[in-house]
Amino acid sequence: MTTVKLSVNGKEMSAEVEGRTLLVEVLREKLGLTGTHVGCDTSQCGACTVHVDGKSIKSCSVLAMDVAGAEVTTIEGMANPDGSLSVIQAAFKEHHGLQCGFCTPGMVMTAAALLKENPKPTEGEVRAYLEGNICRCTGYHNIVKAILAASGQDVAAMAAE
Ligand code: FES
Ligand code: FES
């Protein structure tokens, strides 16, 4: 076992890990941050998406030891400092961008990474960026709408679904 130190949502944390321990296992099982979901374990669904040093990654595909010392942000770190929903989270709520909610943490993390890179994406750019995030419920339309709304664009003309 090795001790890995991480800054998670702005707090210094450490965990005992084995060489094979995945980042998502540290977050969920050792740090209790169960907002990061595991939907596949094979790097396909994106439910485990978090930010590591500002970039979105699938935390089921990264060894904890390989990100020692990194700054990690999970869905628990996405709310505003006063605990209210962030702009992206509020847009998902307002535009019905979730149903069961299983994919939502990963979707929000991916959306945040997209809007950081591209603050005013087109609908096509949003759809392309979400390629690595699977949702079994919504048909994606309202997720895309929520992300466009979060970017400050007028989505009133987009059809409701
Ligand atoms: Fe990581 Fe599905 S659990 S991509
Ligand atoms: Fe159910 Fe996306 S809201 S998987």
Side-chain angles (χ1 to χ4, degrees):
M1 296 289 250
T2 309
T3 303
V4 165
K5 293 187 180 176
L6 295 166
S7 168
V8 183
N9 301 329
K11 291 188 191 142
E12 299 305 315
M13 297 188 177
S14 63
E16 295 292 307
V17 304
E18 297 177 51
R20 63 183 178 175
T21 306
L22 299 169
L23 175 58
V24 71
E25 295 174 314
V26 170
L27 295 172
R28 288 180 55 85
E29 294 163 27
K30 302 200 179 265
L31 303 180
L33 295 168
T34 54
T36 300
H37 292 164
V38 177
C40 68
D41 243 348
T42 52
S43 302
Q44 291 176 43
C45 75
C48 64
T49 304
V50 300
H51 297 175
V52 173
D53 292 334
K55 296 211 165 100
S56 72
I57 57 111
K58 293 178 176 177
S59 59
C60 74
S61 65
V62 176
L63 294 172
M65 287 173 97
D66 286 345
V67 294
E71 289 192 16
V72 179
T73 306
T74 70
I75 191 66
E76 288 89 348
M78 293 303 279
N80 295 320
D82 66 359
S84 61
L85 295 179
S86 66
V87 170
I88 295 172
Q89 291 170 310
F92 269 67
K93 183 178 175 193
E94 183 180 348
H95 296 283
H96 308 288
L98 62 145
Q99 289 182 23
C100 80
F102 193 85
C103 71
T104 311
M107 289 288 183
V108 168
M109 300 311 290
T110 298
L114 164 63
L115 297 185
K116 194 167 150 206
E117 275 176 37
N118 181 0
K120 288 272 184 268
T122 63
E123 180 176 344
E125 286 169 339
V126 174
R127 289 186 185 276
Y129 206 89
L130 292 180
E131 189 184 29
N133 291 73
I134 293 172
C135 175
R136 292 201 277 189
C137 306
T138 64
Y140 300 96
H141 180 81
N142 287 347
I143 292 174
V144 174
K145 194 173 177 183
I147 295 170
L148 290 170
S151 74
Q153 300 186 69
D154 184 4
V155 294
M158 284 181 78
E161 265 188 20

